Amino acid sequence: MKKHLEVVGALIVEKGRVFAAKRGESRYPYVAHKYELVGGKIEAGESPEAALVREVREELGADIRILRPYALVRHEYPDFTITLHVYRCAFLTEYKNTEHESLRWLSLCDLREEEWAPADAPVVRALREGKLSYSD
């Protein structure tokens, strides 16, 4: 049986652009050099919201405000499965790149599912299909 992970991701949208973190090398080639939402694993005894605040602080040195839940995605990778809890968030402070290949603000009209980690692709699809307004 594959390992199952509970993970969180921050969907941050400002002025029609989505905040994207590009992964570097990975032992899993299907996520290497792909964009993803900032976030990570939920630790034992941690709420998804607390995990997201912690992960963004660890990955970007930034504080966020969680606005509301956005999506729940279940995805099966070849080596493990995940349940991804996605929350709409906003930056409260500046951020810095501490571990990703790059950080970018991508226009909603320029989002390409194939450039994203497969588990994040349904979120990108929803954004491209207009399931998030610019004022949202």
Side-chain angles (χ1 to χ4, degrees):
M1 186 170 160
K2 292 180 183 178
K3 182 176 184 177
H4 179 262
L5 302 172
E6 292 278 333
V7 298
V8 288
L11 175 59
I12 302 170
V13 180
E14 292 182 10
K15 299 176 185 171
R17 298 179 305 153
V18 177
F19 187 78
K22 192 171 198 178
R23 294 178 65 105
E25 286 297 323
S26 174
R27 65 180 174 165
Y28 305 113
Y30 40 83
V31 294
H33 308 290
K34 299 278 188 174
Y35 288 112
E36 65 181 359
L37 301 173
V38 176
K41 295 178 197 143
I42 300 172
E43 303 293 340
E46 193 174 43
S47 71
E49 296 88 348
L52 190 52
V53 168
R54 176 186 52 76
E55 285 285 348
V56 171
R57 195 170 288 135
E58 288 175 3
E59 291 183 20
L60 302 175
D63 291 321
I64 57 168
R65 178 180 43 198
I66 297 175
L67 303 173
R68 67 184 164 283
Y70 181 75
L72 182 66
V73 178
R74 290 181 177 85
H75 186 79
E76 185 169 333
Y77 285 109
D79 301 288
F80 56 94
T81 63
I82 70 167
T83 300
L84 170 62
H85 304 260
V86 179
Y87 291 87
R88 282 292 318 276
C89 300
F91 281 119
L92 294 174
T93 63
E94 294 295 318
Y95 58 86
K96 61 182 179 260
N97 189 359
T98 63
E99 65 180 66
H100 291 91
E101 188 173 287
S102 66
L103 301 174
R104 296 202 42 208
W105 287 96
L106 301 173
S107 171
L108 291 175
C109 63
D110 292 333
L111 297 178
R112 306 286 178 259
E113 289 179 51
E114 66 276 4
E115 295 177 349
W116 287 74
D120 293 59
V123 176
V124 170
R125 187 176 318 114
L127 292 169
R128 288 204 37 93
E129 290 173 356
K131 294 191 171 108
L132 175 72
S133 69
Y134 289 116
S135 62
D136 217 359

